[in-house]
Amino acid sequence: GIQVEQSPPDLILQEGANSTLRCNFSDSVNNLQWFHQNPWGQLINLFYIPSGTKQNGRLSATTVATERYSLLYISSSQTTDSGVYFCAVVYNFNKFYFGSGTKLNVKP
Amino acid sequence: EAGVAQSPRYKIIEKRQSVAFWCNPISGHATLYWYQQILGQGPKLLIQFQNNGVVDDSQLPKDRFSAERLKGVDSTLKIQPAKLEDSAVYLCASSLVGTGPQHFGDGTRLSIL
């Protein structure tokens, strides 16, 4: 199967700081999504980004499929950004794998 | 647009009992997924349906877990008999097409005593 590795596993930020989260995958993928799991356990779609760059407010993501990685940028972080960020890939058109996540804590 | 609906939100049972979860996907979404998320881990895919057919159930413990999507819309996931290690959040997701973006329900938190 495919390996999906996220880094760092844990991140503590002061409110207003910027951060970059990384997702590496070991084989070609058909799809990649970034999710935010809030402290109440809800999984929220952030980006559907099999390749290229997308931006949504303070968040942006870039996937370089040929080099098998994706980056999630959070600028001017807020306490509401706290939670766990997951990347998930579709492999072989119907195999879904989640990474182990990056746990973010934004302090006021 | 209504999101993915799941029930119940919480369930507490004793080991060896049975339990069932229900999911109603977003209207028009052909693909439905059930995931298990153990505390501190990422979600693990249990089963994927395309309409009412199974696409992938390779990680479903078939000796105790079963799932169905009879009319290609709602789905149920059953565990019988439950074990202590089944304590987890069970998440349902749907997508318009098989490789498209997935949308998740709020999950069912299962505790086994």
Side-chain angles (χ1 to χ4, degrees):
Chain A
I2 192 171
Q3 305 300 315
V4 182
E5 296 178 349
Q6 291 187 242
S7 60
D10 295 280
L11 186 58
I12 300 174
L13 296 176
Q14 206 65 36
E15 197 168 27
N18 303 328
S19 63
T20 301
L21 281 57
R22 188 175 181 103
C23 174
N24 291 333
F25 39 97
S26 60
D27 206 338
S28 300
V29 299
N30 311 111
N31 174 14
L32 186 144
Q33 274 185 271
W34 282 98
F35 294 91
H36 174 217
Q37 190 164 42
N38 63 25
W40 296 272
Q42 295 172 315
L43 269 167
I44 310 298
N45 283 310
L46 296 178
F47 295 101
Y48 170 77
I49 186 166
S51 63
T53 297
K54 291 185 177 180
Q55 180 155 8
N56 184 3
R58 296 181 296 103
L59 302 181
S60 64
T62 295
T63 296
V64 184
T66 53
E67 297 188 20
R68 298 180 185 168
Y69 72 89
S70 184
L71 302 174
L72 177 69
Y73 306 96
I74 304 174
S75 65
S76 304
S77 60
Q78 300 175 358
T79 55
T80 52
D81 295 332
S82 295
V84 183
Y85 290 81
F86 289 104
C87 75
V89 302
V90 178
Y91 170 67
N92 246 4
F93 293 99
N94 69 347
K95 300 290 186 185
F96 292 83
Y97 293 91
F98 273 73
S100 54
T102 292
K103 186 173 182 179
L104 175 63
N105 184 7
V106 181
K107 298 195 169 187
Chain B
E1 168 182 87
V4 176
Q6 288 189 247
S7 67
R9 287 299 312 277
Y10 306 93
K11 190 74 177 178
I12 302 173
I13 62 172
E14 294 185 349
K15 60 183 179 182
R16 292 188 289 273
Q17 287 187 322
S18 62
V19 64
F21 314 123
W22 174 83
C23 174
N24 182 246
I26 292 173
S27 178
H29 280 198
T31 311
L32 185 147
Y33 316 82
W34 283 102
Y35 289 87
Q36 179 193 59
Q37 186 175 21
I38 292 172
L39 189 64
Q41 299 180 17
K44 181 182 83 171
L45 180 69
L46 293 176
I47 188 167
Q48 177 188 350
F49 291 95
Q50 179 73 21
N51 296 309
N52 60 348
V54 175
V55 174
D56 182 12
D57 64 357
S58 57
Q59 298 193 90
L60 186 74
K62 298 180 187 64
D63 57 334
R64 298 183 299 106
F65 286 64
S66 64
E68 60 183 14
R69 193 184 184 199
L70 291 175
K71 296 183 180 178
V73 180
D74 293 7
S75 177
T76 55
L77 175 70
K78 297 179 182 177
I79 308 175
Q80 182 179 9
K83 292 186 174 181
L84 293 175
E85 60 259 36
D86 299 332
S87 293
V89 176
Y90 291 85
L91 294 159
C92 179
S94 70
S95 63
L96 194 59
V97 295
T99 57
Q102 296 185 42
H103 302 267
F104 280 79
D106 289 343
T108 295
R109 187 174 299 274
L110 176 66
S111 297
I112 311 294
L113 303 179

